[in-house]
Amino acid sequence: MPKQVVVTTSLDFARSLDHEDTLRDYRHQFHFPKIGGKDALYFTGNSLGLQPKTVREAINNELTHWETYGVEGHFEGELPWMYYHRFLLKQSAALVGAKDENEVVVMNTLTTNLHLMMVSFYKPSPTRYKIIMEAGAFPSDQYAMESQVKWHGFAPDDAIIEVAPREGEHTLRTEDILKVIKEHGSSVALVMFSGVNYYTGQFFDIPAIAKMAHTVGAYSGFDLAHTAGNIPLNLHDWQVDFAVWCSYKYLNSGPGGPGGVFVHERHGNNPNLPRFAGWWGHDEASRFQMKKGFIPMQGAAGWQLSNAQVFSFAAHKASLDIFHEAGMMALRQKSEKLTGYMEFLLNDFNADRDIFTIITPSNPEERGCQLSLVFQYKGRTVF
């Protein structure tokens, strides 16, 4: 029989968990800010991740590459710039559960990529024009949806359907999301949700949402800004049409780090799908012939506009390599233990005080590595 573990609030028990942690040495691969001469206890990786210690060398290598080769750096050296996006594909594909490297690409930044994807996947008609999204989505998503429907001549109050929690609840029920999609049926053009809601930490049922979107004839898209690097994903098998994410939060690529894109192979291999085209998304074999007539590269790479921002890509690659080595399943297992133990400690502390409410779902399968607390009083003081 497995050994039964008695969970306690003691420091010795917490240290025993650290001792058993197979990923504990990865902590030493990151720089921590100093407070009072000591490493900070860093709880804001959901806003900006810590710097991997390998980033400085990665960027310095590219500076040397530029210094050594000049413009020929696009074709010479260990990591030629011409092909730089390729050096991040294997790690990115594994990160989001793509079928292969063709379904992903690193480019631009998050909201830019969201707009580019909506050029292809939000194609409203007079009768099918609505977007369904969660209420309280991150403002960038709200602004993107609002501006897109206006661009197409629709009124946001009519075209955007926001699914809100029930009265007295903080998070959404999957059944309510699916019900709203079904109710609006043939008028829905796009179902656009986040993977993990930035405020509540709720992890949405992506495959169920994508399936219902397709059932009513709509596309399904997901903003994974708070999901990529947080939770293992399986976007290809979940039949998601497209997804976008940033890399500066959980993926530790630095401020303004590059964004990622997933496009399911059924769309990535369709050259007739409308898109905004750029030179770097043109067929690589004939790109330098400088001819008219856009021929997209196969897969998500066909949505590229411009060449890679090499220095930020180098920082991103340094972090992605760490994630790839550690593995998302191992990271998720640690995440569940960390978040679960913190929840235990908070509930123990709050039992006879009733100072706050944890609004993040208590079911580990319905949350990322996050607990959101709403305080009854003195919230600012505690912060």
Side-chain angles (χ1 to χ4, degrees):
M1 293 179 64
K3 180 182 178 181
Q4 187 173 6
V5 177
V6 179
V7 181
T8 74
T9 61
S10 73
L11 183 58
D12 285 342
F13 178 77
R15 284 173 172 162
S16 73
L17 294 179
D18 281 341
H19 180 73
E20 297 167 2
D21 177 19
T22 59
L23 298 178
R24 62 184 180 274
D25 290 339
Y26 281 94
R27 176 183 180 86
H28 304 299
Q29 296 192 33
F30 295 85
H31 291 291
F32 283 76
K34 301 289 184 181
I35 297 180
K38 297 181 180 180
D39 285 350
L41 300 176
Y42 198 75
F43 284 84
T44 49
N46 64 317
S47 182
L48 180 67
L50 294 172
Q51 180 189 133
K53 292 180 179 178
T54 50
V55 162
R56 190 178 302 275
E57 180 182 2
I59 294 177
N60 282 339
N61 285 343
E62 296 309 325
L63 289 171
T64 301
H65 192 90
W66 182 16
E67 172 188 330
T68 304
Y69 295 107
V71 71
E72 292 302 321
H74 286 89
F75 308 101
E76 301 291 341
E78 183 181 358
L79 301 173
W81 301 327
M82 169 76 173
Y83 313 107
Y84 210 95
H85 77 280
R86 294 184 188 175
F87 309 137
L88 292 79
L89 295 181
K90 180 180 180 180
Q91 309 94 312
S92 298
L95 190 74
V96 300
K99 178 182 178 181
D100 54 37
E101 296 178 9
N102 280 334
E103 287 190 322
V104 293
V105 72
V106 174
M107 63 180 192
N108 309 312
T109 50
L110 173 64
T111 308
T112 300
N113 289 337
L114 178 55
H115 279 294
L116 291 174
M117 290 298 102
M118 292 186 70
V119 169
S120 299
F121 296 102
Y122 179 57
K123 300 180 291 182
S125 70
T127 57
R128 185 185 287 278
Y129 60 92
K130 293 181 181 178
I131 298 174
I132 294 180
M133 63 186 297
E134 85 251 34
F138 194 78
S140 284
D141 289 355
Q142 297 182 46
Y143 304 154
M145 301 306 114
E146 178 183 339
S147 59
Q148 284 281 342
V149 299
K150 286 182 176 179
W151 174 257
H152 288 282
F154 297 96
D157 288 345
D158 175 44
I160 300 174
I161 309 299
E162 294 186 323
V163 188
R166 297 185 185 186
E167 184 72 28
E169 298 182 1
H170 296 284
T171 55
L172 288 167
R173 299 190 189 189
T174 301
E175 62 194 84
D176 291 346
I177 298 171
L178 303 184
K179 180 181 178 182
V180 171
I181 298 172
K182 189 174 181 179
E183 283 179 348
H184 289 272
S186 60
S187 66
V188 181
L190 174 65
V191 177
M192 182 71 216
F193 267 69
S194 58
V196 171
N197 182 273
Y198 83 102
Y199 180 72
T200 66
Q202 179 181 9
F203 176 40
F204 294 113
D205 191 337
I206 294 176
I209 294 171
K211 182 178 180 180
M212 182 57 75
H214 297 154
T215 297
V216 301
Y219 287 119
S220 64
F222 293 87
D223 178 346
L224 305 177
H226 290 260
T227 320
N230 182 349
I231 296 176
L233 299 165
N234 201 5
L235 298 184
H236 175 84
D237 289 347
W238 292 345
Q239 297 296 306
V240 169
D241 292 302
F242 73 90
V244 294
W245 59 93
C246 59
S247 64
Y248 43 82
K249 302 178 189 294
Y250 294 105
L251 292 177
N252 305 83
S253 70
V261 169
F262 166 89
V263 179
H264 199 281
E265 67 175 356
R266 64 177 171 272
H267 307 301
N269 300 329
N270 177 10
N272 296 319
L273 194 65
R275 71 188 79 190
F276 284 163
W279 187 51
W280 219 252
H282 183 82
D283 172 54
E284 193 175 277
S286 60
R287 184 182 296 159
F288 281 89
Q289 294 178 12
M290 308 298 191
K291 293 181 178 178
K292 289 184 178 181
F294 177 72
I295 303 172
M297 293 177 67
Q298 189 177 53
W303 272 264
Q304 294 177 109
L305 297 181
S306 304
N307 51 320
Q309 304 98 319
V310 171
F311 299 127
S312 62
F313 273 40
H316 186 34
K317 182 181 182 302
S319 181
L320 280 178
D321 288 345
I322 298 173
F323 272 80
H324 197 65
E325 179 182 273
M328 276 306 303
M329 293 309 297
L331 287 166
R332 177 59 172 169
Q333 289 171 5
K334 178 171 182 175
S335 164
E336 290 181 348
K337 289 180 181 179
L338 277 170
T339 311
Y341 189 53
M342 172 172 264
E343 183 180 30
F344 172 80
L345 294 174
L346 287 170
N347 285 333
D348 179 79
F349 174 85
N350 198 44
D352 56 356
R353 293 178 174 87
D354 194 28
I355 298 173
F356 57 79
T357 300
I358 300 175
I359 65 172
T360 305
S362 60
N363 182 353
E365 295 182 358
E366 297 177 2
R367 69 186 183 200
C369 53
Q370 172 181 339
L371 294 175
S372 296
L373 279 60
V374 172
F375 282 79
Q376 272 69 278
Y377 57 94
K378 293 189 176 179
R380 175 58 61 179
T381 302
V382 174
F383 176 79

